[in-house]
Amino acid sequence: METAGPGTHSAPVFRFADGADVPQLVPLIESAYRGDASRTGWTTEADLLDGQRTDEDGVRAVVGDGGSRVLLAEADGEILACCHIEHRGAHAYFGMFAVRPQRQGGGLGRAVMAEAERVARAEWGAREMHMTVIRQREELISWYERRGYRRTGEMSPFPYGDERFGIPRRDDLEFELLIKDLG
């Protein structure tokens, strides 16, 4: 499970996370979405949410769940990107997607997503990949659409009041379901 890396970086290798990876995963996820560090990449949610994106308990729960996998891309002993894929019968769920801000824009995210889709098809026979994205993230949704995901118009509420998911900076946040046919 390898892919070419952007620039002069070593080619990342894919593997599945285990409990020992959790302390490295939390800061990776936070750096891609929250705070000033996230602003060096394009996936930041810092204008929409303050606070945390996740915590060790949340990441440990998905790493330890037998019905899911956390896929890692690493090079030279450093975790560069991750995503969570969960088996949900005929479809798989894609989430917790993070690429180090300084590695965004070079194809690593595309490679991680492609590997997650391959795993969902090959290991679980999933026919679709589902994900939810904050509907106000138009640039991110457009990126997913270019990768074959389609907007469904199906919305679900943001978990206001649960600071484990962040502190909203506005009162109109909600998630939209995106779906891709995996063939």
Side-chain angles (χ1 to χ4, degrees), residues 83-119:
C83 71
H84 170 230
I85 49 178
E86 182 178 341
H87 186 206
R88 294 186 177 176
H91 75 271
Y93 182 82
F94 180 86
M96 206 173 72
F97 186 30
V99 177
R100 287 197 183 284
Q102 54 276 42
R103 291 295 296 262
Q104 292 177 13
L108 181 58
R110 232 179 344 266
V112 170
M113 176 171 273
E115 180 63 10
E117 292 166 358
R118 186 199 67 75
V119 168

PDB file of all heavy atoms in Angstrom, residues 83-119:
ATOM      1  N   CYS A  83      -7.523   8.860   8.069  1.00  0.00           N
ATOM      2  CA  CYS A  83      -8.974   8.902   7.922  1.00  0.00           C
ATOM      3  C   CYS A  83      -9.553   7.700   8.648  1.00  0.00           C
ATOM      4  O   CYS A  83      -8.870   6.708   8.882  1.00  0.00           O
ATOM      5  CB  CYS A  83      -9.405   8.912   6.454  1.00  0.00           C
ATOM      6  SG  CYS A  83      -9.155   7.356   5.592  1.00  0.00           S
ATOM      7  N   HIS A  84     -10.805   7.830   9.002  1.00  0.00           N
ATOM      8  CA  HIS A  84     -11.544   6.759   9.666  1.00  0.00           C
ATOM      9  C   HIS A  84     -12.541   6.213   8.660  1.00  0.00           C
ATOM     10  O   HIS A  84     -13.252   6.981   8.011  1.00  0.00           O
ATOM     11  CB  HIS A  84     -12.259   7.334  10.893  1.00  0.00           C
ATOM     12  CG  HIS A  84     -13.239   6.417  11.522  1.00  0.00           C
ATOM     13  ND1 HIS A  84     -14.526   6.803  11.822  1.00  0.00           N
ATOM     14  CD2 HIS A  84     -13.152   5.127  11.913  1.00  0.00           C
ATOM     15  CE1 HIS A  84     -15.166   5.787  12.375  1.00  0.00           C
ATOM     16  NE2 HIS A  84     -14.364   4.771  12.434  1.00  0.00           N
ATOM     17  N   ILE A  85     -12.580   4.900   8.514  1.00  0.00           N
ATOM     18  CA  ILE A  85     -13.598   4.251   7.688  1.00  0.00           C
ATOM     19  C   ILE A  85     -14.326   3.239   8.552  1.00  0.00           C
ATOM     20  O   ILE A  85     -13.707   2.508   9.320  1.00  0.00           O
ATOM     21  CB  ILE A  85     -13.021   3.615   6.405  1.00  0.00           C
ATOM     22  CG1 ILE A  85     -11.799   2.756   6.692  1.00  0.00           C
ATOM     23  CG2 ILE A  85     -12.697   4.678   5.371  1.00  0.00           C
ATOM     24  CD1 ILE A  85     -11.214   2.054   5.481  1.00  0.00           C
ATOM     25  N   GLU A  86     -15.649   3.254   8.444  1.00  0.00           N
ATOM     26  CA  GLU A  86     -16.482   2.389   9.275  1.00  0.00           C
ATOM     27  C   GLU A  86     -17.412   1.577   8.395  1.00  0.00           C
ATOM     28  O   GLU A  86     -18.068   2.124   7.502  1.00  0.00           O
ATOM     29  CB  GLU A  86     -17.307   3.248  10.238  1.00  0.00           C
ATOM     30  CG  GLU A  86     -18.167   2.448  11.177  1.00  0.00           C
ATOM     31  CD  GLU A  86     -18.931   3.347  12.135  1.00  0.00           C
ATOM     32  OE1 GLU A  86     -18.560   4.522  12.334  1.00  0.00           O
ATOM     33  OE2 GLU A  86     -19.924   2.857  12.702  1.00  0.00           O
ATOM     34  N   HIS A  87     -17.481   0.292   8.653  1.00  0.00           N
ATOM     35  CA  HIS A  87     -18.357  -0.613   7.906  1.00  0.00           C
ATOM     36  C   HIS A  87     -19.784  -0.454   8.412  1.00  0.00           C
ATOM     37  O   HIS A  87     -20.051  -0.635   9.593  1.00  0.00           O
ATOM     38  CB  HIS A  87     -17.873  -2.055   8.096  1.00  0.00           C
ATOM     39  CG  HIS A  87     -18.605  -3.044   7.279  1.00  0.00           C
ATOM     40  ND1 HIS A  87     -18.722  -4.353   7.643  1.00  0.00           N
ATOM     41  CD2 HIS A  87     -19.252  -2.933   6.098  1.00  0.00           C
ATOM     42  CE1 HIS A  87     -19.416  -5.005   6.728  1.00  0.00           C
ATOM     43  NE2 HIS A  87     -19.746  -4.153   5.780  1.00  0.00           N
ATOM     44  N   ARG A  88     -20.684  -0.133   7.496  1.00  0.00           N
ATOM     45  CA  ARG A  88     -22.096   0.053   7.856  1.00  0.00           C
ATOM     46  C   ARG A  88     -22.978  -0.717   6.873  1.00  0.00           C
ATOM     47  O   ARG A  88     -23.887  -0.165   6.269  1.00  0.00           O
ATOM     48  CB  ARG A  88     -22.460   1.533   7.852  1.00  0.00           C
ATOM     49  CG  ARG A  88     -21.745   2.336   8.925  1.00  0.00           C
ATOM     50  CD  ARG A  88     -22.231   3.754   8.972  1.00  0.00           C
ATOM     51  NE  ARG A  88     -21.589   4.502  10.039  1.00  0.00           N
ATOM     52  CZ  ARG A  88     -21.773   5.797  10.247  1.00  0.00           C
ATOM     53  NH1 ARG A  88     -22.589   6.491   9.461  1.00  0.00           N
ATOM     54  NH2 ARG A  88     -21.149   6.406  11.240  1.00  0.00           N
ATOM     55  N   GLY A  89     -22.703  -1.998   6.733  1.00  0.00           N
ATOM     56  CA  GLY A  89     -23.521  -2.832   5.843  1.00  0.00           C
ATOM     57  C   GLY A  89     -23.145  -2.616   4.392  1.00  0.00           C
ATOM     58  O   GLY A  89     -22.007  -2.830   4.009  1.00  0.00           O
ATOM     59  N   ALA A  90     -24.102  -2.171   3.585  1.00  0.00           N
ATOM     60  CA  ALA A  90     -23.865  -1.989   2.149  1.00  0.00           C
ATOM     61  C   ALA A  90     -22.998  -0.767   1.854  1.00  0.00           C
ATOM     62  O   ALA A  90     -22.520  -0.609   0.742  1.00  0.00           O
ATOM     63  CB  ALA A  90     -25.192  -1.873   1.403  1.00  0.00           C
ATOM     64  N   HIS A  91     -22.802   0.091   2.851  1.00  0.00           N
ATOM     65  CA  HIS A  91     -21.934   1.239   2.618  1.00  0.00           C
ATOM     66  C   HIS A  91     -20.914   1.354   3.748  1.00  0.00           C
ATOM     67  O   HIS A  91     -21.010   0.681   4.769  1.00  0.00           O
ATOM     68  CB  HIS A  91     -22.747   2.536   2.469  1.00  0.00           C
ATOM     69  CG  HIS A  91     -23.288   3.090   3.754  1.00  0.00           C
ATOM     70  ND1 HIS A  91     -24.507   2.724   4.272  1.00  0.00           N
ATOM     71  CD2 HIS A  91     -22.773   4.003   4.618  1.00  0.00           C
ATOM     72  CE1 HIS A  91     -24.726   3.383   5.397  1.00  0.00           C
ATOM     73  NE2 HIS A  91     -23.687   4.160   5.632  1.00  0.00           N
ATOM     74  N   ALA A  92     -19.915   2.182   3.508  1.00  0.00           N
ATOM     75  CA  ALA A  92     -18.922   2.513   4.522  1.00  0.00           C
ATOM     76  C   ALA A  92     -19.017   4.006   4.783  1.00  0.00           C
ATOM     77  O   ALA A  92     -19.475   4.771   3.928  1.00  0.00           O
ATOM     78  CB  ALA A  92     -17.523   2.139   4.050  1.00  0.00           C
ATOM     79  N   TYR A  93     -18.607   4.416   5.973  1.00  0.00           N
ATOM     80  CA  TYR A  93     -18.604   5.824   6.345  1.00  0.00           C
ATOM     81  C   TYR A  93     -17.157   6.305   6.376  1.00  0.00           C
ATOM     82  O   TYR A  93     -16.278   5.629   6.913  1.00  0.00           O
ATOM     83  CB  TYR A  93     -19.269   6.033   7.705  1.00  0.00           C
ATOM     84  CG  TYR A  93     -19.325   7.485   8.085  1.00  0.00           C
ATOM     85  CD1 TYR A  93     -20.331   8.306   7.579  1.00  0.00           C
ATOM     86  CD2 TYR A  93     -18.354   8.052   8.897  1.00  0.00           C
ATOM     87  CE1 TYR A  93     -20.368   9.664   7.887  1.00  0.00           C
ATOM     88  CE2 TYR A  93     -18.383   9.395   9.209  1.00  0.00           C
ATOM     89  CZ  TYR A  93     -19.381  10.196   8.700  1.00  0.00           C
ATOM     90  OH  TYR A  93     -19.408  11.529   8.998  1.00  0.00           O
ATOM     91  N   PHE A  94     -16.914   7.473   5.815  1.00  0.00           N
ATOM     92  CA  PHE A  94     -15.588   8.088   5.742  1.00  0.00           C
ATOM     93  C   PHE A  94     -15.584   9.332   6.618  1.00  0.00           C
ATOM     94  O   PHE A  94     -16.457  10.189   6.484  1.00  0.00           O
ATOM     95  CB  PHE A  94     -15.309   8.471   4.280  1.00  0.00           C
ATOM     96  CG  PHE A  94     -13.984   9.117   4.036  1.00  0.00           C
ATOM     97  CD1 PHE A  94     -12.857   8.353   3.806  1.00  0.00           C
ATOM     98  CD2 PHE A  94     -13.874  10.497   4.003  1.00  0.00           C
ATOM     99  CE1 PHE A  94     -11.636   8.950   3.546  1.00  0.00           C
ATOM    100  CE2 PHE A  94     -12.655  11.113   3.752  1.00  0.00           C
ATOM    101  CZ  PHE A  94     -11.530  10.330   3.520  1.00  0.00           C
ATOM    102  N   GLY A  95     -14.624   9.437   7.528  1.00  0.00           N
ATOM    103  CA  GLY A  95     -14.551  10.606   8.398  1.00  0.00           C
ATOM    104  C   GLY A  95     -13.171  10.765   8.996  1.00  0.00           C
ATOM    105  O   GLY A  95     -12.230  10.050   8.647  1.00  0.00           O
ATOM    106  N   MET A  96     -13.060  11.719   9.913  1.00  0.00           N
ATOM    107  CA  MET A  96     -11.811  11.996  10.627  1.00  0.00           C
ATOM    108  C   MET A  96     -10.631  12.127   9.661  1.00  0.00           C
ATOM    109  O   MET A  96      -9.530  11.675   9.915  1.00  0.00           O
ATOM    110  CB  MET A  96     -11.536  10.921  11.683  1.00  0.00           C
ATOM    111  CG  MET A  96     -10.691  11.394  12.834  1.00  0.00           C
ATOM    112  SD  MET A  96     -10.563  10.168  14.163  1.00  0.00           S
ATOM    113  CE  MET A  96      -9.498   8.945  13.421  1.00  0.00           C
ATOM    114  N   PHE A  97     -10.885  12.748   8.524  1.00  0.00           N
ATOM    115  CA  PHE A  97      -9.907  12.889   7.450  1.00  0.00           C
ATOM    116  C   PHE A  97      -9.017  14.088   7.741  1.00  0.00           C
ATOM    117  O   PHE A  97      -9.505  15.208   7.890  1.00  0.00           O
ATOM    118  CB  PHE A  97     -10.678  13.090   6.146  1.00  0.00           C
ATOM    119  CG  PHE A  97      -9.870  13.121   4.891  1.00  0.00           C
ATOM    120  CD1 PHE A  97      -8.687  12.419   4.751  1.00  0.00           C
ATOM    121  CD2 PHE A  97     -10.334  13.840   3.806  1.00  0.00           C
ATOM    122  CE1 PHE A  97      -7.976  12.433   3.573  1.00  0.00           C
ATOM    123  CE2 PHE A  97      -9.642  13.863   2.612  1.00  0.00           C
ATOM    124  CZ  PHE A  97      -8.453  13.164   2.493  1.00  0.00           C
ATOM    125  N   ALA A  98      -7.730  13.859   7.834  1.00  0.00           N
ATOM    126  CA  ALA A  98      -6.795  14.942   8.127  1.00  0.00           C
ATOM    127  C   ALA A  98      -5.485  14.722   7.404  1.00  0.00           C
ATOM    128  O   ALA A  98      -4.965  13.609   7.367  1.00  0.00           O
ATOM    129  CB  ALA A  98      -6.549  15.030   9.636  1.00  0.00           C
ATOM    130  N   VAL A  99      -4.964  15.800   6.836  1.00  0.00           N
ATOM    131  CA  VAL A  99      -3.642  15.823   6.203  1.00  0.00           C
ATOM    132  C   VAL A  99      -2.884  16.978   6.844  1.00  0.00           C
ATOM    133  O   VAL A  99      -3.437  18.073   7.002  1.00  0.00           O
ATOM    134  CB  VAL A  99      -3.755  16.037   4.671  1.00  0.00           C
ATOM    135  CG1 VAL A  99      -2.375  16.135   4.040  1.00  0.00           C
ATOM    136  CG2 VAL A  99      -4.572  14.917   4.025  1.00  0.00           C
ATOM    137  N   ARG A 100      -1.640  16.741   7.213  1.00  0.00           N
ATOM    138  CA  ARG A 100      -0.828  17.823   7.779  1.00  0.00           C
ATOM    139  C   ARG A 100      -0.935  19.051   6.879  1.00  0.00           C
ATOM    140  O   ARG A 100      -0.805  18.934   5.667  1.00  0.00           O
ATOM    141  CB  ARG A 100       0.638  17.427   7.897  1.00  0.00           C
ATOM    142  CG  ARG A 100       0.898  16.453   8.981  1.00  0.00           C
ATOM    143  CD  ARG A 100       2.374  16.376   9.359  1.00  0.00           C
ATOM    144  NE  ARG A 100       2.505  15.353  10.370  1.00  0.00           N
ATOM    145  CZ  ARG A 100       2.167  15.494  11.646  1.00  0.00           C
ATOM    146  NH1 ARG A 100       1.698  16.639  12.073  1.00  0.00           N
ATOM    147  NH2 ARG A 100       2.294  14.506  12.499  1.00  0.00           N
ATOM    148  N   PRO A 101      -1.187  20.235   7.445  1.00  0.00           N
ATOM    149  CA  PRO A 101      -1.375  21.424   6.615  1.00  0.00           C
ATOM    150  C   PRO A 101      -0.245  21.664   5.612  1.00  0.00           C
ATOM    151  O   PRO A 101      -0.503  22.013   4.455  1.00  0.00           O
ATOM    152  CB  PRO A 101      -1.468  22.564   7.634  1.00  0.00           C
ATOM    153  CG  PRO A 101      -2.055  21.905   8.840  1.00  0.00           C
ATOM    154  CD  PRO A 101      -1.434  20.533   8.865  1.00  0.00           C
ATOM    155  N   GLN A 102       1.001  21.422   6.003  1.00  0.00           N
ATOM    156  CA  GLN A 102       2.117  21.664   5.087  1.00  0.00           C
ATOM    157  C   GLN A 102       2.204  20.623   3.967  1.00  0.00           C
ATOM    158  O   GLN A 102       2.932  20.815   3.007  1.00  0.00           O
ATOM    159  CB  GLN A 102       3.439  21.820   5.832  1.00  0.00           C
ATOM    160  CG  GLN A 102       3.835  20.722   6.775  1.00  0.00           C
ATOM    161  CD  GLN A 102       3.240  20.812   8.165  1.00  0.00           C
ATOM    162  OE1 GLN A 102       2.059  21.120   8.342  1.00  0.00           O
ATOM    163  NE2 GLN A 102       4.027  20.500   9.175  1.00  0.00           N
ATOM    164  N   ARG A 103       1.442  19.546   4.058  1.00  0.00           N
ATOM    165  CA  ARG A 103       1.411  18.518   2.996  1.00  0.00           C
ATOM    166  C   ARG A 103       0.127  18.589   2.167  1.00  0.00           C
ATOM    167  O   ARG A 103      -0.063  17.797   1.249  1.00  0.00           O
ATOM    168  CB  ARG A 103       1.529  17.119   3.614  1.00  0.00           C
ATOM    169  CG  ARG A 103       2.894  16.789   4.216  1.00  0.00           C
ATOM    170  CD  ARG A 103       4.012  16.730   3.192  1.00  0.00           C
ATOM    171  NE  ARG A 103       3.879  15.680   2.213  1.00  0.00           N
ATOM    172  CZ  ARG A 103       4.487  14.499   2.252  1.00  0.00           C
ATOM    173  NH1 ARG A 103       5.299  14.231   3.251  1.00  0.00           N
ATOM    174  NH2 ARG A 103       4.292  13.614   1.310  1.00  0.00           N
ATOM    175  N   GLN A 104      -0.763  19.533   2.463  1.00  0.00           N
ATOM    176  CA  GLN A 104      -2.000  19.663   1.700  1.00  0.00           C
ATOM    177  C   GLN A 104      -1.718  20.258   0.327  1.00  0.00           C
ATOM    178  O   GLN A 104      -0.795  21.043   0.154  1.00  0.00           O
ATOM    179  CB  GLN A 104      -3.004  20.534   2.467  1.00  0.00           C
ATOM    180  CG  GLN A 104      -3.500  19.875   3.727  1.00  0.00           C
ATOM    181  CD  GLN A 104      -4.433  20.757   4.539  1.00  0.00           C
ATOM    182  OE1 GLN A 104      -4.906  21.782   4.076  1.00  0.00           O
ATOM    183  NE2 GLN A 104      -4.673  20.346   5.777  1.00  0.00           N
ATOM    184  N   GLY A 105      -2.526  19.853  -0.639  1.00  0.00           N
ATOM    185  CA  GLY A 105      -2.412  20.399  -1.982  1.00  0.00           C
ATOM    186  C   GLY A 105      -1.446  19.652  -2.885  1.00  0.00           C
ATOM    187  O   GLY A 105      -1.255  20.048  -4.033  1.00  0.00           O
ATOM    188  N   GLY A 106      -0.852  18.570  -2.412  1.00  0.00           N
ATOM    189  CA  GLY A 106       0.118  17.831  -3.212  1.00  0.00           C
ATOM    190  C   GLY A 106      -0.337  16.452  -3.631  1.00  0.00           C
ATOM    191  O   GLY A 106       0.464  15.668  -4.139  1.00  0.00           O
ATOM    192  N   GLY A 107      -1.593  16.107  -3.402  1.00  0.00           N
ATOM    193  CA  GLY A 107      -2.103  14.812  -3.828  1.00  0.00           C
ATOM    194  C   GLY A 107      -2.179  13.760  -2.737  1.00  0.00           C
ATOM    195  O   GLY A 107      -2.719  12.677  -2.960  1.00  0.00           O
ATOM    196  N   LEU A 108      -1.643  14.044  -1.565  1.00  0.00           N
ATOM    197  CA  LEU A 108      -1.672  13.056  -0.479  1.00  0.00           C
ATOM    198  C   LEU A 108      -3.105  12.765  -0.037  1.00  0.00           C
ATOM    199  O   LEU A 108      -3.479  11.598   0.144  1.00  0.00           O
ATOM    200  CB  LEU A 108      -0.830  13.540   0.703  1.00  0.00           C
ATOM    201  CG  LEU A 108      -0.754  12.601   1.913  1.00  0.00           C
ATOM    202  CD1 LEU A 108      -0.194  11.239   1.527  1.00  0.00           C
ATOM    203  CD2 LEU A 108       0.092  13.252   3.008  1.00  0.00           C
ATOM    204  N   GLY A 109      -3.930  13.774   0.118  1.00  0.00           N
ATOM    205  CA  GLY A 109      -5.324  13.563   0.510  1.00  0.00           C
ATOM    206  C   GLY A 109      -6.072  12.712  -0.498  1.00  0.00           C
ATOM    207  O   GLY A 109      -6.825  11.808  -0.129  1.00  0.00           O
ATOM    208  N   ARG A 110      -5.861  12.976  -1.770  1.00  0.00           N
ATOM    209  CA  ARG A 110      -6.479  12.178  -2.833  1.00  0.00           C
ATOM    210  C   ARG A 110      -6.074  10.715  -2.718  1.00  0.00           C
ATOM    211  O   ARG A 110      -6.888   9.812  -2.880  1.00  0.00           O
ATOM    212  CB  ARG A 110      -6.022  12.737  -4.196  1.00  0.00           C
ATOM    213  CG  ARG A 110      -7.102  13.034  -5.140  1.00  0.00           C
ATOM    214  CD  ARG A 110      -6.644  13.597  -6.474  1.00  0.00           C
ATOM    215  NE  ARG A 110      -5.303  14.125  -6.608  1.00  0.00           N
ATOM    216  CZ  ARG A 110      -4.958  15.392  -6.462  1.00  0.00           C
ATOM    217  NH1 ARG A 110      -5.858  16.290  -6.157  1.00  0.00           N
ATOM    218  NH2 ARG A 110      -3.715  15.773  -6.618  1.00  0.00           N
ATOM    219  N   ALA A 111      -4.788  10.480  -2.445  1.00  0.00           N
ATOM    220  CA  ALA A 111      -4.281   9.110  -2.320  1.00  0.00           C
ATOM    221  C   ALA A 111      -4.872   8.402  -1.103  1.00  0.00           C
ATOM    222  O   ALA A 111      -5.233   7.219  -1.172  1.00  0.00           O
ATOM    223  CB  ALA A 111      -2.753   9.120  -2.238  1.00  0.00           C
ATOM    224  N   VAL A 112      -4.995   9.110   0.019  1.00  0.00           N
ATOM    225  CA  VAL A 112      -5.584   8.528   1.233  1.00  0.00           C
ATOM    226  C   VAL A 112      -7.040   8.151   0.965  1.00  0.00           C
ATOM    227  O   VAL A 112      -7.490   7.058   1.316  1.00  0.00           O
ATOM    228  CB  VAL A 112      -5.457   9.488   2.430  1.00  0.00           C
ATOM    229  CG1 VAL A 112      -6.284   9.010   3.618  1.00  0.00           C
ATOM    230  CG2 VAL A 112      -3.996   9.669   2.829  1.00  0.00           C
ATOM    231  N   MET A 113      -7.777   9.060   0.335  1.00  0.00           N
ATOM    232  CA  MET A 113      -9.184   8.799   0.039  1.00  0.00           C
ATOM    233  C   MET A 113      -9.327   7.592  -0.889  1.00  0.00           C
ATOM    234  O   MET A 113     -10.174   6.722  -0.658  1.00  0.00           O
ATOM    235  CB  MET A 113      -9.831  10.031  -0.580  1.00  0.00           C
ATOM    236  CG  MET A 113     -11.262   9.813  -0.994  1.00  0.00           C
ATOM    237  SD  MET A 113     -12.025  11.352  -1.470  1.00  0.00           S
ATOM    238  CE  MET A 113     -12.572  11.870   0.142  1.00  0.00           C
ATOM    239  N   ALA A 114      -8.501   7.515  -1.911  1.00  0.00           N
ATOM    240  CA  ALA A 114      -8.555   6.386  -2.842  1.00  0.00           C
ATOM    241  C   ALA A 114      -8.265   5.069  -2.132  1.00  0.00           C
ATOM    242  O   ALA A 114      -8.914   4.050  -2.390  1.00  0.00           O
ATOM    243  CB  ALA A 114      -7.578   6.602  -4.007  1.00  0.00           C
ATOM    244  N   GLU A 115      -7.304   5.069  -1.226  1.00  0.00           N
ATOM    245  CA  GLU A 115      -6.987   3.855  -0.477  1.00  0.00           C
ATOM    246  C   GLU A 115      -8.137   3.478   0.452  1.00  0.00           C
ATOM    247  O   GLU A 115      -8.482   2.298   0.582  1.00  0.00           O
ATOM    248  CB  GLU A 115      -5.687   4.026   0.309  1.00  0.00           C
ATOM    249  CG  GLU A 115      -5.283   2.820   1.124  1.00  0.00           C
ATOM    250  CD  GLU A 115      -4.977   1.564   0.318  1.00  0.00           C
ATOM    251  OE1 GLU A 115      -4.891   1.607  -0.929  1.00  0.00           O
ATOM    252  OE2 GLU A 115      -4.816   0.491   0.949  1.00  0.00           O
ATOM    253  N   ALA A 116      -8.762   4.451   1.095  1.00  0.00           N
ATOM    254  CA  ALA A 116      -9.909   4.174   1.964  1.00  0.00           C
ATOM    255  C   ALA A 116     -11.050   3.557   1.156  1.00  0.00           C
ATOM    256  O   ALA A 116     -11.690   2.595   1.605  1.00  0.00           O
ATOM    257  CB  ALA A 116     -10.371   5.458   2.649  1.00  0.00           C
ATOM    258  N   GLU A 117     -11.298   4.086  -0.021  1.00  0.00           N
ATOM    259  CA  GLU A 117     -12.355   3.543  -0.881  1.00  0.00           C
ATOM    260  C   GLU A 117     -12.017   2.118  -1.323  1.00  0.00           C
ATOM    261  O   GLU A 117     -12.881   1.246  -1.345  1.00  0.00           O
ATOM    262  CB  GLU A 117     -12.559   4.459  -2.093  1.00  0.00           C
ATOM    263  CG  GLU A 117     -13.153   5.801  -1.701  1.00  0.00           C
ATOM    264  CD  GLU A 117     -13.063   6.855  -2.804  1.00  0.00           C
ATOM    265  OE1 GLU A 117     -12.504   6.572  -3.889  1.00  0.00           O
ATOM    266  OE2 GLU A 117     -13.575   7.971  -2.572  1.00  0.00           O
ATOM    267  N   ARG A 118     -10.739   1.883  -1.637  1.00  0.00           N
ATOM    268  CA  ARG A 118     -10.316   0.533  -2.030  1.00  0.00           C
ATOM    269  C   ARG A 118     -10.530  -0.454  -0.886  1.00  0.00           C
ATOM    270  O   ARG A 118     -11.065  -1.550  -1.082  1.00  0.00           O
ATOM    271  CB  ARG A 118      -8.830   0.539  -2.444  1.00  0.00           C
ATOM    272  CG  ARG A 118      -8.365  -0.813  -3.011  1.00  0.00           C
ATOM    273  CD  ARG A 118      -6.855  -0.953  -2.985  1.00  0.00           C
ATOM    274  NE  ARG A 118      -6.318  -1.025  -1.632  1.00  0.00           N
ATOM    275  CZ  ARG A 118      -6.388  -2.085  -0.826  1.00  0.00           C
ATOM    276  NH1 ARG A 118      -7.005  -3.193  -1.215  1.00  0.00           N
ATOM    277  NH2 ARG A 118      -5.861  -2.060   0.381  1.00  0.00           N
ATOM    278  N   VAL A 119     -10.152  -0.066   0.326  1.00  0.00           N
ATOM    279  CA  VAL A 119     -10.325  -0.926   1.500  1.00  0.00           C
ATOM    280  C   VAL A 119     -11.811  -1.224   1.720  1.00  0.00           C
ATOM    281  O   VAL A 119     -12.194  -2.372   1.957  1.00  0.00           O
ATOM    282  CB  VAL A 119      -9.696  -0.281   2.759  1.00  0.00           C
ATOM    283  CG1 VAL A 119     -10.121  -1.002   4.031  1.00  0.00           C
ATOM    284  CG2 VAL A 119      -8.182  -0.257   2.642  1.00  0.00           C
TER     285      VAL A 119
END
